[in-house]
Amino acid sequence: MKDSPLEAVIGLEVHVQLDTGRKLFCADSTAFGAPPNTAVCPVCLGLPGALPVLDAGAVDLALRAALALECTIHPISVFARKNYFYPDLPKGYQISQFERPLATRGAVELDNGRRVRIRRVHMEEDAGKSLHDRFASATAVDLNRTGTPLIEIVSEPDLRSPGEARSCLQHLKRLMEYLGISDCNMEEGNLRVDANVSLRKRGSERLEASTEVKNLNSFSAVEKALGVEIKRQTRIRAEGGAVTRQTLLWDAAGGNVRVMRDKEDSQDYRYFPDPDLPPLVLSAARVASLRAGLGELPRAKHERFRRQYGLPAYDADVLTSSRPLADYYEAVVACGRQPKTVSNWVMGPVLKTVKRGIADLSSPGLAPGRLAELLVLVDEGTLSATAAKTVLAGMARTGDPPGVIVRREGLMQVREDQVLARWVTDVVTAHPEEVARYRDGETRLLGFLMGQVMRASGRKADPRRVNQLLRAALDADAG
Amino acid sequence: MTVTIQEIRRIAALARLRLERGEARRMARDMSSILEHMTVLGEIAPEPARTSGVPQREGSTRLLGDASDGGGAPAEGARTMPDPLERPLSRIAPDWRDGLFVVPRLPGVAGTPGEPDGSP
Amino acid sequence: MTANAAGVAARAAEVRSGRLAWGSMAAEALEAQGAWEQGAAPLNAFIALGPHADRQRRPRDGPLAGIPVAVKDNLVTGGFPTTCGSRILEGFRSPYEATAVRRLRRAGAVIVGKTNMDEFAMGSSTENSAFGPTRNPWHRERVPGGSSGGSAAAVAAGIVPVALGSDTGGSVRQPASFCGVVGIKPTYGRVSRYGLVAFASSLDQVGALGRTVRDAATLLEVVSGHDPRDATSVNRPVPPLAAACERGVRGLVVGVPREYFPSGLDPVVGRLAERALRALEGAGAELRDVSLPHTRYAIPAYYIIAPAEASSNLARYDGVRFGRRCRDADSTERLYELSRSEGFGTEVKRRILLGTYALSAGYYDAYYGRAQEARAAVARDFERTFRDGVDVLFTPTSPTPAFRLGERIHDPYRMYLSDVFTVTANLAGVPALSVPIGLAEGLPVGGQLMAAHWREDTLLTAAAALEAELGTVGSPPVPSGAGTA
């Protein structure tokens, strides 16, 4: 593509499920995996006479997303009905925003510094689920998902390669996760991506017929499918043909795209303002308070972490992936610990504990002050690194402070020379053959003898001091 | 006639209505005559864009679960609870199997569960 | 006369004090209903009749304690089917209940049945019901009006003292006028639409019908008020409506809009309207000629907006989750087409097509867009008039008394013109009421009152004065064999 006279023009349409825990127009749960058709009520079933009422929590999350994407928020936006028939669409229309969306004209900046313009962010409800393989020659419908709150983020066609599209998507995902807007679980369909693709002469501004590729449900799918589709369009043009407006479905298994429908016979959705829902009027105060609550966004935070704490990019990436994690890290550092040491501990043992579900970052046992206390014990040599990990696990499990656990479990590092010397003497006495070989110049046996001392100490001996004492013992007797 | 039979057929297909030949002709005739009376609407001077088909609005939108609703106590009790179903769906649905609504197989979409072409 | 002939508030007080048995009025209602079904021309006001009152476990006090109430069949109701007069919902039992119905029960009312209506409230004669037309109790060869014809007929026949209806373009007021009862459509947003099966959501309001102005006011007061389950219901205190009936019209400015007295107006209707105006004047009101110049756009605007919304509201009747399903369909697409084509009647199909057309690509601006402009213009007419000091407007409710069964059913636009005086209040969202103003050759004629938003109290004040000045139109002759003691 680099040397080709053509360049790709790619825009993304991303659906993100809002983590409110309930539906957009009724109070049913959106928890994943409930038995089919149990998280439903008259409203999301579309029963005669039922009416939608907009959930305030979803509005706030959608606004956060729009603000984080630097959008203009519209003080009045309007819900519209998109009319079409489908078995998993109970009302025969989807409530979405059309002519007057929540927000427009935003931007995201990619890692390569390019800015991708965001055309719009709007709110809408999800459809249910059609199961085509459940019964022979029948389609089954589960409406648990119906009414799940979504935002749709539409980018301008500013992306120029599959790699950029992937990078843009990763950036969006990171932002949504960081702000607690969505868990972006792609397997559960909480982040879904469609892409518009066309080719044009490099440098040209002309709009060419584009295709829409659907079913891009992983980062690699986005990159692969766009690569395949760009190749397909390149081939068509090379053969003198014309690309037609089509909707294509990415088949991950086959590694190709297939035509879902021609755009020319696309549906007439008959959008009109939903008369059941008054226009959404946002007070300036509501928007301002959400804007203030947004705080530093992940990209800025990432840069600051690298600069202020001297962290490698990888560390900054991990630590700024969510706001609670970033705040936690900074709180521990603020207790006076060395930033890189804290980073190692947070990314390693702390996150491992959290992932195993033993505790979370807000558990008292893992409070930043407690972790800092633990690191002090390591720094001053009271605890070995291995013992400290055991203590951390204990802190997470019991909520006790590190000092208490260290005393209770006798994990304090032994540094008294008298005690250490006795273990050293015992080992030297017990292994005369190895000692002799060491003294004959086979110095690598020092490691073996060290290991024996540590074992004798129950791993509590201060290894640095043991090393010194052991060398002294071996060398002294040789003289 | 302002509305042709072809147009009636296109509209009927959008609305998922099947019209017999005579019915389509009659509808085309009725609609043409009705729409003739609608031409007076052309005399109305356009106003700035309307935001909704709902005439009377007071204050801003009321939101479910909004503390700033300002509307006093909920009138019917728990405002953020889903209205419970007093009859099981199995007694309402025309075809119900294993907790699922069932319809005859959709053409052309077999084998792609969860990815209906109608979904947003 | 029946016990039901006395005022609702007084009878409820008797029930609360124990002087009247809780279920006695409901039992009488069911008996009277049976009498009206006798003979060659049954009234057919009900689609479903209730279980005996004693089987209803409900509070036995409240402002409607023991009062038998009929509910239009487009309000979903526990213990009853809800069909909307349509084959597509034949036998459908809703798993939840409408807010207005819940409030009725909470007020101690006994729901005795679901009343007949034009299918999905689309009609002005109750002839478009899948369950046969309702007849006018004053003249059985005439229509009761519509679409709440069953409710109006049930009240006029003395079966129930009050009934709930719904009014999208006149569907409470026009049948009230044809049947000689009082019907009120409150301000849009006054009564919850939760559980009212939608026809045209931006126009639909639940309304109250009663033998007298006070009875209608009592019923309306019970069902009014904010509901968090309806985003268009408005959170405002409900003024004491029954009390407003006592106020008197001295000093009230009554506007007489010239557009509502066209040259083609039925002369008897014109004369009775004139008499009503004189009566208001005699009671101390000031009459003022006014103009609502955009009235002529109302019918075209209404018959675009209402079908457009209906085309979308009725998409849910697809045979998938509830209601009628065609069993022969071998694909989902066939299932939709066959279920809907067999389930909907002609008028409903006509309006779905009209609405789909008005919203479809290429026509939206010319029809739906223009209609919204016209609607706004109609609303501005009202705003200006009420701002200029008019308290209430008086017009005929309908250009004619009840027409004959079958007279207009094959001429859709002529049928639509029955709503010519009533659709404006729905387009503007203002409250409006029809009150009997006399008989024209044995057929009742109604006068319409319209007021500014939230001023139902003013409407009721003026209506009560008219009722007092003109007297009621009485009751239609009770059918022979109707043993109403």
Side-chain angles (χ1 to χ4, degrees):
Chain A
M1 205 64 204
K2 278 264 151 46
D3 315 315
S4 155
L6 297 175
E7 66 175 358
V9 179
I10 302 168
L12 297 181
E13 286 175 19
V14 182
H15 286 91
V16 178
Q17 174 173 337
L18 301 173
D19 266 350
T20 55
R22 56 177 184 262
K23 296 188 177 183
L24 186 55
F25 298 113
C26 57
D28 283 304
S29 161
T30 55
F32 187 76
N37 294 309
T38 55
V40 291
C41 76
V43 178
C44 54
L45 286 167
L47 291 181
L51 295 172
V53 180
L54 181 60
D55 176 49
V59 174
D60 286 349
L61 285 188
L63 279 173
R64 281 170 82 115
L67 288 166
L69 292 168
E70 302 171 34
C71 288
T72 304
I73 308 293
H74 298 293
I76 298 178
S77 59
V78 173
F79 285 94
R81 294 184 181 179
K82 178 182 183 180
N83 295 286
Y84 64 92
F85 285 85
Y86 207 80
D88 61 22
L89 189 73
K91 299 187 294 297
Y93 56 84
Q94 178 200 23
I95 305 177
S96 181
Q97 295 187 306
F98 183 58
E99 271 185 341
R100 304 192 60 175
L102 184 74
T104 53
R105 296 199 313 276
V108 284
E109 198 176 308
L110 304 185
D111 289 338
N112 64 11
R114 289 233 349 228
R115 276 174 80 76
V116 176
R117 290 167 302 156
I118 300 296
R119 183 180 298 165
R120 59 189 277 150
V121 175
H122 72 249
M123 306 175 71
E124 62 186 29
E125 58 175 349
D126 206 349
K129 214 165 155 184
S130 293
L131 310 165
H132 302 296
D133 51 6
R134 179 65 189 268
F135 302 115
S137 73
T139 293
V141 181
D142 174 10
L143 297 178
N144 281 349
R145 203 185 171 88
T146 311
T148 296
L150 305 176
I151 48 171
E152 181 173 342
I153 301 169
V154 183
S155 86
E156 294 291 349
D158 289 350
L159 299 158
R160 293 293 168 265
S161 70
E164 269 192 1
R166 179 187 182 130
S167 163
C168 179
L169 186 63
Q170 274 167 334
H171 192 84
L172 288 175
K173 177 170 185 277
R174 188 181 171 73
L175 201 57
M176 297 303 130
E177 286 171 341
Y178 174 81
L179 291 169
I181 290 163
S182 176
D183 69 6
C184 294
N185 185 330
M186 294 179 89
E187 272 146 40
E188 291 178 9
N190 301 350
L191 177 71
R192 301 198 290 262
V193 189
D194 304 331
N196 288 295
V197 201
S198 64
L199 298 181
R200 69 179 179 202
K201 285 223 171 66
R202 205 170 285 279
S204 155
E205 290 295 315
R206 234 185 84 178
L207 287 174
E208 304 281 349
S210 66
T211 55
E212 185 180 6
V213 191
K214 285 183 169 287
N215 201 23
L216 306 178
N217 293 332
S218 69
F219 289 115
S220 66
V222 169
E223 206 166 353
K224 275 188 209 147
L226 288 174
V228 166
E229 174 56 10
I230 288 168
K231 257 192 215 134
R232 191 186 70 92
Q233 290 193 15
T234 309
R235 199 173 51 240
I236 291 173
R237 291 174 61 131
E239 287 163 1
V243 175
T244 51
R245 283 165 50 80
Q246 282 175 325
T247 301
L248 307 167
L249 205 60
W250 169 242
D251 174 4
N256 56 26
V257 293
R258 54 192 168 82
V259 179
M260 206 163 99
R261 60 171 177 254
D262 285 329
K263 280 270 179 181
E264 306 312 326
D265 56 50
S266 73
Q267 279 267 16
D268 181 348
Y269 289 118
R270 292 156 284 135
Y271 284 97
F272 74 106
D274 190 332
D276 287 330
L277 291 160
L280 174 59
V281 180
L282 295 167
S283 69
R286 190 179 198 117
V287 176
S289 96
L290 285 165
R291 196 189 295 274
L294 218 50
E296 188 181 30
L297 294 178
R299 183 174 195 87
K301 190 162 292 221
H302 183 271
E303 275 162 25
R304 182 168 64 78
F305 273 32
R306 294 202 61 183
R307 202 177 54 239
Q308 184 176 342
Y309 302 123
L311 294 178
Y314 175 78
D315 292 38
D317 263 352
V318 174
L319 294 174
T320 59
S321 63
S322 86
R323 183 146 66 181
L325 183 60
D327 291 348
Y328 181 81
Y329 169 76
E330 293 205 272
V332 181
V333 173
C335 295
R337 297 298 93 201
Q338 204 276 326
K340 178 58 187 162
T341 308
V342 176
S343 169
N344 293 343
W345 276 84
V346 171
M347 294 196 306
V350 171
L351 279 186
K352 204 176 285 172
T353 311
V354 170
K355 276 196 191 112
R356 283 184 187 154
I358 299 165
D360 57 47
L361 294 178
S362 58
S363 305
L366 289 185
R370 294 280 177 80
L371 180 61
E373 279 173 46
L374 179 69
L375 298 188
V376 169
L377 294 176
V378 177
D379 284 355
E380 59 182 37
T382 308
L383 277 182
S384 69
T386 317
K389 284 177 192 163
T390 312
V391 175
L392 183 79
M395 289 158 62
R397 211 170 35 245
T398 64
D400 292 335
V404 171
I405 295 170
V406 169
R407 273 194 300 280
R408 186 168 63 217
E409 303 194 10
L411 291 169
M412 202 102 54
Q413 189 154 284
V414 177
R415 285 186 295 169
E416 290 81 9
D417 278 1
Q418 274 170 296
V419 185
L420 295 178
R422 195 164 57 237
W423 283 328
V424 168
T425 310
D426 287 353
V427 166
V428 169
T429 312
H431 297 88
E433 192 187 323
E434 283 80 3
V435 170
R437 280 163 59 199
Y438 173 86
R439 286 176 177 160
D440 285 347
E442 218 178 312
T443 49
R444 65 178 175 84
L445 281 169
L446 181 66
F448 167 76
L449 294 166
M450 272 287 299
Q452 294 304 309
V453 177
M454 292 306 290
R455 213 163 106 186
S457 76
R459 307 242 155 239
K460 282 187 272 181
D462 174 358
R464 228 170 15 188
R465 189 65 191 140
V466 169
N467 189 289
Q468 288 167 355
L469 291 174
L470 189 60
R471 277 174 191 277
L474 294 168
D475 297 346
D477 284 8
Chain B
M1 286 203 301
T2 49
V3 184
T4 63
I5 291 182
Q6 287 71 29
E7 266 178 311
I8 285 290
R9 293 229 174 269
R10 180 178 68 86
I11 295 297
L14 272 179
R16 301 300 189 274
L17 290 174
R18 234 173 103 82
L19 300 178
E20 303 307 325
R21 189 187 303 244
E23 215 178 353
R25 195 178 305 116
R26 197 170 67 243
M27 286 291 180
R29 194 193 57 215
D30 287 353
M31 269 184 52
S32 297
S33 117
I34 292 166
L35 289 171
E36 246 165 61
H37 295 279
M38 308 299 183
T39 52
V40 299
L41 291 174
E43 300 167 5
I44 295 276
E47 283 280 307
R50 309 217 63 75
T51 53
S52 163
V54 187
Q56 170 75 14
R57 289 286 140 243
E58 291 214 337
S60 71
T61 323
R62 280 159 298 283
L63 304 172
L64 193 66
D66 193 348
S68 65
D69 185 311
E76 296 286 317
R79 74 167 59 191
T80 53
M81 292 299 288
D83 206 358
L85 298 175
E86 282 156 22
R87 284 164 58 80
L89 291 173
S90 57
R91 296 189 57 193
I92 292 166
D95 190 354
W96 178 261
R97 285 179 240 167
D98 300 350
L100 293 156
F101 297 100
V102 180
V103 293
R105 170 73 49 87
L106 287 156
V109 287
T112 53
E115 184 46 46
D117 74 336
S119 279
Chain C
M1 275 311 295
T2 74
N4 295 340
V8 156
R11 303 314 295 220
E14 287 185 60
V15 171
R16 287 195 299 273
S17 71
R19 263 176 293 147
L20 196 57
W22 188 73
S24 63
M25 285 185 281
E28 281 180 53
L30 292 176
E31 202 179 310
Q33 192 278 333
W36 280 95
E37 293 311 305
Q38 307 301 315
L43 197 61
N44 197 30
F46 287 84
I47 292 175
L49 279 167
H52 193 269
D54 291 343
R55 299 225 308 270
Q56 303 191 11
R57 300 168 285 110
R58 293 295 160 183
R60 298 194 170 197
D61 57 13
L64 296 179
I67 301 296
V69 180
V71 174
K72 188 176 181 179
D73 205 26
N74 59 355
L75 283 155
V76 298
T77 309
F80 289 89
T82 298
T83 70
C84 291
S86 183
R87 290 264 172 247
I88 211 156
L89 281 176
E90 195 167 2
F92 172 71
R93 286 174 178 270
S94 171
Y96 79 103
E97 187 159 83
T99 299
V101 178
R102 281 183 196 174
R103 289 181 178 177
L104 274 187
R105 295 195 200 267
R106 209 174 51 191
V110 187
I111 292 156
V112 295
K114 303 295 293 292
T115 56
N116 200 7
M117 57 184 283
D118 285 300
E119 185 177 6
F120 285 101
M122 297 178 189
S124 310
S125 67
T126 316
E127 290 167 294
N128 297 328
S129 167
F131 307 105
T134 295
R135 293 169 185 273
N136 191 318
W138 290 84
H139 193 304
R140 308 274 192 104
E141 292 312 310
R142 302 217 169 220
V143 302
S147 64
S148 310
S151 287
V155 173
I159 297 168
V160 287
V162 286
L164 285 182
S166 70
D167 190 315
T168 304
S171 280
V172 161
R173 290 161 285 157
Q174 186 255 21
S177 164
F178 282 13
C179 291
V181 300
V182 177
I184 179 164
K185 176 206 92 77
T187 310
Y188 186 81
R190 178 66 95 187
V191 181
S192 170
R193 292 186 298 116
Y194 188 71
L196 170 66
V197 180
F199 159 18
S201 315
S202 74
L203 300 156
D204 295 340
Q205 259 307 275
V206 173
L209 297 109
R211 301 291 301 279
T212 65
V213 175
R214 266 173 204 76
D215 285 356
T218 304
L219 178 62
L220 180 62
E221 205 170 314
V222 162
V223 297
S224 290
H226 179 235
D227 177 8
R229 294 198 193 277
D230 174 3
T232 62
S233 104
V234 172
N235 199 347
R236 259 181 173 276
V238 181
L241 297 178
C245 301
E246 319 297 334
R247 230 173 264 160
V249 293
R250 185 155 302 281
L252 207 71
V253 178
V254 177
V256 186
R258 68 177 67 100
E259 291 79 7
Y260 289 73
F261 294 86
S263 52
L265 186 66
D266 183 300
V268 187
V269 172
R271 272 201 303 282
L272 289 173
E274 195 58 34
R275 184 174 75 120
L277 284 168
R278 294 301 144 232
L280 283 170
E281 199 174 33
E286 176 198 326
L287 302 189
R288 190 184 291 179
D289 284 332
V290 297
S291 171
L292 300 169
H294 293 91
T295 302
R296 68 197 199 91
Y297 302 114
I299 283 282
Y302 176 84
Y303 278 98
I304 293 295
I305 292 168
E309 293 181 9
S311 71
S312 175
N313 283 332
L314 269 58
R316 67 188 61 192
Y317 306 100
D318 58 6
V320 175
R321 295 163 313 283
F322 55 81
R324 185 188 185 90
R325 168 182 291 196
C326 172
R327 295 284 157 192
D328 305 333
D330 52 3
S331 74
T332 307
E333 281 299 317
R334 294 272 296 171
L335 173 82
Y336 291 149
E337 288 196 352
L338 294 176
S339 301
R340 289 166 63 78
S341 301
E342 293 171 4
F344 290 138
T346 301
E347 182 60 24
V348 170
K349 286 183 200 169
R350 182 152 46 223
R351 296 209 199 178
I352 289 175
L353 291 173
L354 187 55
T356 305
Y357 182 83
L359 289 176
S360 68
Y363 298 103
Y364 182 92
D365 291 334
Y367 291 105
Y368 186 78
R370 287 267 170 75
Q372 291 294 0
E373 301 295 347
R375 178 178 191 168
V378 167
R380 281 194 303 272
D381 282 354
F382 281 101
E383 275 163 36
R384 185 179 39 72
T385 306
F386 294 125
R387 204 177 44 234
D388 290 351
V390 170
D391 295 306
V392 66
L393 293 161
F394 180 87
T395 76
T397 305
S398 187
T400 63
F403 45 86
R404 290 183 182 280
L405 283 162
E407 188 181 320
R408 299 191 184 178
I409 198 71
H410 299 296
D411 186 350
Y413 200 76
R414 189 148 167 257
M415 184 73 94
Y416 297 171
L417 289 177
S418 316
D419 303 333
V420 66
F421 300 149
T422 48
V423 295
T424 49
N426 300 83
L427 289 171
V430 299
L433 171 155
S434 178
V435 58
I437 53 170
L439 292 173
E441 290 160 27
L443 293 173
V445 170
Q448 176 177 238
L449 294 158
M450 298 185 275
H453 290 105
W454 316 113
R455 295 315 303 266
E456 287 85 355
D457 55 345
T458 311
L459 287 184
L460 292 164
T461 299
L466 273 176
E467 192 178 56
E469 295 295 321
L470 301 173
T472 68
V473 293
S475 305
V478 178
S480 57
T484 48

